[in-house]
C-alpha cells in the first residue's frame, strides 16, 4: 500500500506542477476554454485520445471481457468507426464554426437564448454523466487498493479536478491529458508484454485454454442482440455529440490541424482497443472469473488484479497510479466543457444576453467548477455498483440522441431551423433518459429498484432514442417553417464557412 500511495502522490505532484506552469498563461476566456487555439495537432491528438481512452475503457471494458468473453469487446469495436465519422463529417466544420462551446457552432446559424440554453443544459447533463464514470472508477480503486473510503476518495479527486481546471484551464488540462495518454499506453503495453510472456508468444495464444463458455460466442436472445446493436449505435454516433471531446477541435488553430488531430487520435485508440481483449482474457486465465467477480461484481478491478499477479506490488502500484492519472485527466477535460456551457452559454448569453465582460465570464467559469464537482460527486455515490463501460454507453446514447442531430443538421440541412433544433434537444433528452429510467438498469432483478419489472427491455436506449432525436428535428423543422424568425442565417453562407472556413 505504501508503494501505491507513493506512486499516486508522485503522479499527482507532476500534474500539479503542470497546473502551476499553465496557470501563468490562463488569464483570459480564450485560454481557459480553448487554450487560445494554439495546441499543436499531435499534442491535441494525444489529448483527444486521453479524453476517450478513459477509466470506462481501461477498467470497464477489460472487466467485461474477462467476465463475459468477446461479447464484452463489442463495446469497443465501434470506436474506429466513430472517429472516422468524426473526421469525415464534423471535425473541420466544427472548428470553422465554433469558438468556445458546441452551442457557439450552432449559434453561428441560429440565434436565440432558448436554443443556447437547451444546448447548455444538454452539455451539462452529458458531462455530469461522464464525470460520474470517472469518480466511480477512482473511488473504487482507492477504496479497494489504498484503504481509503469511497466517498473520501471521490471528494479528494473532485478537489484536485477543481484545482486543475480553475487555475490551469484548458492548457493545463491538455498537458495533463498528454502525460496521462503516454502513461496509459506505456502501462498497457507493459501488461500486454507480460501476458504474452506468460501465455504467448502469439497474442492469440492468450485465448487458449480459456473456458469455452466464456471465450466462444454463444447464442443470444433477440433482446440481447438488439441491445448489442443499440450499444454499437451509441458508440459509433455518440462521439460526435460528446461536448468534452468535440471541444478539443476548437483548441487548434485551423481546420487542417483539427483533421490531423483526429488522425493521430484514431491511430492511438484503435491500437489501444485492439489490445484490450488479450488483457481481458489474460486476467481471466491468471485470476479466474470468481476472483474477478469477488473483487468487483462488474469486473472493474480485473486489470489491477492482473497487474498484481504478473508484476507484484510494484506493477500494481504503477497501474493504480496510471489509472488515477487517467481519471483525473478526463475529469479535467469534462469539467472545462461543462464550465464553458455554464459560464459562456448560460450565464453570458442567456442570463446576461451577451453583455457580461470577459473578466466576469472567466470568474463565473472558475466558480462554476466547484458546483459542477459537488453535483457529480453526489451522483457518483449512487452509481457505485454500475459497470463503468455501461455508464459510458448511456452517456454516448444521450449525446447521439441530442447534440448530434442538432450539430449535423445545422451544418448539412438547408431546411433545418431553430424550432427543429430545440425539439431535437428537448425530445432526444427526454426520450433517452426516460428509456434508461424504465430499463433493466433501474427496474427488475438486476436494477436498482427490485420488485418492479422493466418496461423497456434494452439497457442502452440508442436504437430508439437516436431515431427519435432526428425525428423530433424533422417534425420540429416542419412546424417552424411558418415562423420566419426560426430560419436563422443564410444557409449558403453557413455551408461555405463550415466546409472551407472564413
Amino acid at each position: 500500500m505504501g508503494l501505491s500511495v507513493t506512486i499516486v502522490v508522485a503522479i499527482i505532484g507532476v500534474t500539479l506542477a503542470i497546473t502551476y506552469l499553465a496557470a501563468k498563461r490562463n488569464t483570459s476566456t480564450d485560454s481557459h476554454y480553448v487554450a487560445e487555439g494554439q495546441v499543436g495537432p499531435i499534442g491535441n491528438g494525444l489529448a483527444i485520445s486521453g479524453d476517450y481512452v478513459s477509466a470506462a475503457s481501461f477498467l470497464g471494458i477489460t472487466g467485461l471481457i474477462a467476465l463475459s468473453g468477446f461479447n464484452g469487446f463489442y463495446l469497443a469495436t465501434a470506436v474506429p468507426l466513430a472517429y472516422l465519422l468524426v473526421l469525415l463529417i464534423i471535425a473541420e466544420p466544427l472548428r470553422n464554426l465554433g469558438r468556445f462551446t458546441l452551442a457557439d457552432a450552432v449559434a453561428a446559424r441560429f440565434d436565440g437564448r432558448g436554443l443556447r440554453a437547451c444546448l447548455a443544459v444538454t452539455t451539462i447533463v452529458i458531462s455530469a454523466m461522464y464525470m460520474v464514470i470517472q469518480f466511480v472508477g477512482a473511488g473504487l480503486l482507492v477504496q479497494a487498493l489504498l484503504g481509503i473510503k469511497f466517498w473520501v476518495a471521490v471528494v479528494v479527486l473532485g478537489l484536485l479536478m477543481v484545482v486543475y481546471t480553475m487555475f490551469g484551464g484548458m492548457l493545463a488540462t491538455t498537458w495533463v491529458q498528454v502525460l496521462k495518454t503516454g502513461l496509459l499506453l506505456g502501462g498497457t503495453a507493459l501488461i500486454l508484454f507480460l501476458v504474452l510472456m506468460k501465455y504467448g508468444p502469439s497474442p492469440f495464444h492468450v485465448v487458449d485454454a480459456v473456458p469455452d463458455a466464456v471465450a466462444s460466442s454463444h447464442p443470444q436472445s433477440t433482446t440481447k442482440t438488439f441491445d448489442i446493436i443499440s450499444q454499437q449505435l451509441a458508440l459509433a454516433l455518440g462521439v460526435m455529440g460528446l461536448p468534452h471531446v468535440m471541444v478539443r477541435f476548437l483548441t487548434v488553430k485551423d481546420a487542417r490541424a483539427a483533421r490531423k488531430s483526429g488522425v493521430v487520435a484514431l491511430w492511438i485508440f484503435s491500437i489501444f482497443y485492439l489490445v484490450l481483449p488479450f488483457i481481458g482474457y489474460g486476467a481471466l486465465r491468471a485470476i479466474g472469473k470468481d476472483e474477478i467477480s469477488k473483487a468487483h461484481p462488474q469486473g472493474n478491478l480485473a486489470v489491477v488484479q492482473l497487474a498484481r499477479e504478473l508484476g507484484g506490488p510494484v506493477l500494481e502500484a504503477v497501474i493504480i497510479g496510471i489509472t488515477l492519472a487517467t481519471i483525473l485527466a478526463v475529469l479535467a477535460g469534462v469539467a472545462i466543457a461543462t464550465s464553458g456551457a455554464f459560464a459562456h452559454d448560460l450565464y453570458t448569453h442567456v442570463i446576461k444576453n451577451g453583455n457580461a465582460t470577459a473578466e466576469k465570464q472567466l470568474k463565473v467559469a472558475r466558480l462554476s467548477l466547484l458546483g459542477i464537482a459537488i453535483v457529480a460527486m453526489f451522483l457518483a455515490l449512487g452509481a457505485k455498483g454500475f459497470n463503468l463501460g455501461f455508464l459510458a454507453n448511456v452517456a454516448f446514447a444521450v449525446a447521439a440522441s441530442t447534440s448530434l442531430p442538432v450539430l449535423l443538421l445545422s451544418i448539412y440541412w438547408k431546411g433545418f431551423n431553430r424550432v427543429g433544433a430545440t425539439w431535437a434537444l428537448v425530445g432526444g433528452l427526454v426520450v433517452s433518459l426516460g428509456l434508461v429510467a424504465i430499463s433493466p438498469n433501474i427496474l427488475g432483478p438486476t436494477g436498482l429498484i427490485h420488485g418492479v419489472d422493466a418496461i423497456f427491455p434494452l439497457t442502452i436506449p440508442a436504437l430508439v432514442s437516436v431515431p427519435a432525436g432526428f425525428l423530433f428535428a424533422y417534425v420540429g423543422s416542419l412546424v417552424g417553417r411558418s415562423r420566419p424568425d426560426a430560419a436563422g442565417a443564410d444557409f449558403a453562407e453557413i455551408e461555405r464557412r463550415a466546409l472551407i472556413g472564413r
Side-chain angles (χ1 to χ4, degrees):
M1 183 182 298
L3 182 60
S4 299
V5 173
T6 300
I7 292 177
V8 169
V9 170
I11 292 177
I12 290 175
V14 172
T15 58
L16 289 174
I18 289 173
T19 303
Y20 174 77
L21 294 174
K24 298 179 179 180
R25 296 170 54 180
N26 186 34
T27 57
S28 67
T29 53
D30 286 270
S31 60
H32 181 78
Y33 294 133
V34 293
E36 298 179 328
Q38 297 302 309
V39 179
I42 294 178
N44 198 49
L46 289 167
I48 291 172
S49 304
D51 274 323
Y52 195 82
V53 180
S54 63
S57 302
F58 193 50
L59 299 180
I61 293 178
T62 305
L64 281 177
I65 293 171
L67 294 180
S68 61
F70 200 77
N71 291 329
F73 186 59
Y74 288 135
L75 284 173
T77 54
V79 174
L81 171 61
Y83 262 84
L84 183 60
L85 291 174
V86 168
L87 287 173
L88 293 176
I89 296 175
I90 207 168
E92 293 186 46
L94 181 63
R95 178 61 191 86
N96 289 330
L97 293 176
R99 187 187 179 196
F100 294 151
T101 65
L102 297 187
D104 283 340
V106 177
R109 182 174 177 185
F110 305 118
D111 58 5
R113 290 188 289 176
L115 177 58
R116 188 181 281 268
C118 289
L119 278 161
V121 170
T122 302
T123 294
I124 292 169
V125 170
I126 296 170
S127 299
M129 295 173 67
Y130 221 85
M131 290 175 73
V132 167
I133 298 167
Q134 310 308 316
F135 277 129
V136 171
L140 288 172
L141 272 178
V142 174
Q143 180 188 35
L145 304 169
L146 300 182
I148 300 175
K149 292 183 179 180
F150 180 82
W151 72 268
V152 175
V154 168
V155 170
V156 171
L157 290 167
L159 291 176
L160 284 171
M161 178 202 75
V162 171
V163 170
Y164 294 154
T165 50
M166 183 179 291
F167 297 103
M170 179 59 84
L171 187 61
T173 299
T174 301
W175 289 350
V176 171
Q177 285 282 27
V178 171
L179 171 66
K180 162 258 174 160
T181 301
L183 291 173
L184 182 60
L185 293 178
T188 303
L190 178 59
I191 291 180
L192 177 64
F193 174 76
L194 294 175
V195 167
L196 294 181
M197 288 286 290
K198 188 176 183 68
Y199 300 113
S202 169
F204 295 102
H205 289 167
V206 178
V207 185
D208 292 345
V210 170
D212 291 340
V214 176
S216 62
S217 298
H218 49 277
Q220 300 282 359
S221 67
T222 302
T223 299
K224 183 64 176 178
T225 299
F226 278 110
D227 209 17
I228 292 173
I229 295 172
S230 191
Q231 291 174 350
Q232 294 292 80
L233 183 65
L235 282 171
L237 300 180
V239 172
M240 291 185 285
L242 285 180
H244 71 284
V245 176
M246 290 297 99
V247 77
R248 279 266 159 225
F249 293 107
L250 304 179
T251 64
V252 292
K253 63 179 181 179
D254 53 33
R256 183 180 179 184
R259 183 174 62 252
K260 288 183 178 180
S261 299
V263 172
V264 171
L266 179 62
W267 278 104
I268 290 174
F269 56 64
S270 293
I271 295 172
F272 174 81
Y273 280 108
L274 286 175
V275 167
L276 291 187
F278 305 110
I279 294 179
Y281 281 134
L284 178 63
R285 291 188 64 177
I287 309 300
K289 186 174 181 179
D290 291 341
E291 288 300 315
I292 292 174
S293 299
K294 184 178 178 181
H296 189 272
Q298 300 296 331
N300 287 335
L301 298 176
V303 68
V304 180
Q305 293 173 281
L306 177 61
R308 184 193 307 128
E309 181 69 21
L310 297 177
V314 174
L315 184 58
E316 178 190 26
V318 169
I319 295 302
I320 293 171
I322 291 174
T323 305
L324 288 178
T326 297
I327 290 167
L328 285 168
V330 176
L331 277 171
V334 178
I336 287 290
T338 313
S339 71
F342 185 88
H344 180 66
D345 294 328
L346 281 180
Y347 175 77
T348 301
H349 286 91
V350 176
I351 297 175
K352 293 295 185 179
N353 199 21
N355 295 322
T357 64
E359 292 78 10
K360 183 66 174 179
Q361 184 182 161
L362 181 60
K363 182 179 180 180
V364 172
R366 287 172 168 168
L367 291 176
S368 70
L369 290 165
L370 184 60
I372 292 164
I374 292 172
V375 172
M377 287 187 288
F378 272 110
L379 292 174
L381 297 178
K384 181 180 177 182
F386 284 115
N387 177 272
L388 302 183
F390 156 73
L391 289 174
N393 233 348
V394 172
F396 277 79
V398 174
S401 307
T402 54
S403 303
L404 171 63
V406 174
L407 285 171
L408 286 185
L409 298 178
S410 295
I411 296 169
Y412 293 106
W413 185 27
K414 183 178 181 180
F416 195 46
N417 56 46
R418 189 172 66 246
V419 175
T422 304
W423 280 36
L425 288 168
V426 176
L429 187 64
V430 170
V431 170
S432 56
L433 293 180
L435 291 178
V436 171
I438 59 175
S439 72
N441 308 296
I442 306 298
L443 306 178
T446 60
L448 295 178
I449 302 175
H450 303 296
V452 180
D453 293 335
I455 301 172
F456 183 68
L458 305 182
T459 62
I460 304 298
L463 198 59
V464 176
S465 62
V466 173
F470 279 95
L471 181 62
F472 278 119
Y474 176 72
V475 174
S477 295
L478 293 181
V479 173
R481 287 180 181 179
S482 61
R483 295 175 50 181
D485 64 314
D490 180 65
F491 178 72
E493 174 61 19
I494 294 298
E495 188 177 39
R496 186 195 68 79
R497 286 177 56 192
L499 300 180
I500 64 175
R502 293 179 173 83

